[in-house]
Amino acid sequence: MASTSVSRTVSASPARVWQLIGGFGSLPDWLPYISDSDLVEGGRVRRLKNPDDDVIIERLVEFNDVERHYSYTILEAPFPVVGYLSTLRVHGVSGAPDSAEVQWSGRFTPEGKATDGEVIALFTEIYRDGLEALHNTIG
């Protein structure tokens, strides 16, 4: 099993950041790579589309509004992995009430000819680019 984690500090309170990213269907609000998010099954499953019209279907497996994090699995995607579990988390920054640390992490098993290094690089880039987009959205 492979894993990666990326963190980014943004200039907004944890509550403000969570308000923007804490909804399971909110990815299009801050992540330009995702153009569409439709929630089904009572909001527990999201069907995403990227600019290439690839469909990504993910299931929410844990949500904690108080601690500001949620975890999800991939049910269907064009990624060469199985057993994908990811968590998006917002932390406060000690001594900086108008700053938040956002952490996006995942673990997964490469599938087919993909190597650990290749899938780690893929998701590290996705998470890094996503948190950079969040930073830009919050401005």
Side-chain angles (χ1 to χ4, degrees):
M1 182 164 285
S3 65
T4 188
S5 182
V6 176
S7 295
R8 171 79 194 238
T9 301
V10 295
S11 297
S13 70
R16 180 172 171 229
V17 174
W18 185 245
Q19 183 178 18
L20 176 61
I21 72 171
F24 194 53
S26 70
L27 287 180
D29 297 340
W30 60 275
L31 189 61
Y33 178 73
I34 299 298
S35 59
D36 200 28
S37 176
D38 295 317
L39 294 177
V40 296
E41 294 187 26
R44 306 276 307 166
V45 174
R46 63 185 177 194
R47 186 177 188 275
L48 309 170
K49 273 195 172 177
N50 68 18
D52 297 328
D53 278 338
D54 292 324
V55 173
I56 303 162
I57 300 174
E58 300 172 333
R59 176 177 296 281
L60 182 67
V61 295
E62 182 182 358
F63 181 86
N64 189 315
D65 199 36
V66 174
E67 294 182 11
R68 297 185 182 110
H69 66 85
Y70 68 80
S71 298
Y72 61 95
T73 60
I74 289 178
L75 303 177
E76 178 184 324
F79 308 126
V81 297
V82 295
Y84 179 95
L85 177 66
S86 184
T87 300
L88 189 61
R89 182 180 308 270
V90 178
H91 299 283
V93 175
S94 181
D98 290 328
S99 292
E101 179 187 13
V102 183
Q103 179 186 39
W104 199 350
S105 60
R107 65 178 195 244
F108 32 80
T109 301
E111 184 176 49
K113 295 181 180 185
T115 66
D116 280 6
E118 290 168 338
V119 295
I120 289 169
L122 170 69
F123 287 107
T124 298
E125 181 178 2
I126 289 171
Y127 299 165
R128 186 183 318 113
D129 290 351
L131 295 183
E132 180 67 21
L134 173 63
H135 171 77
N136 293 336
T137 298
I138 287 180

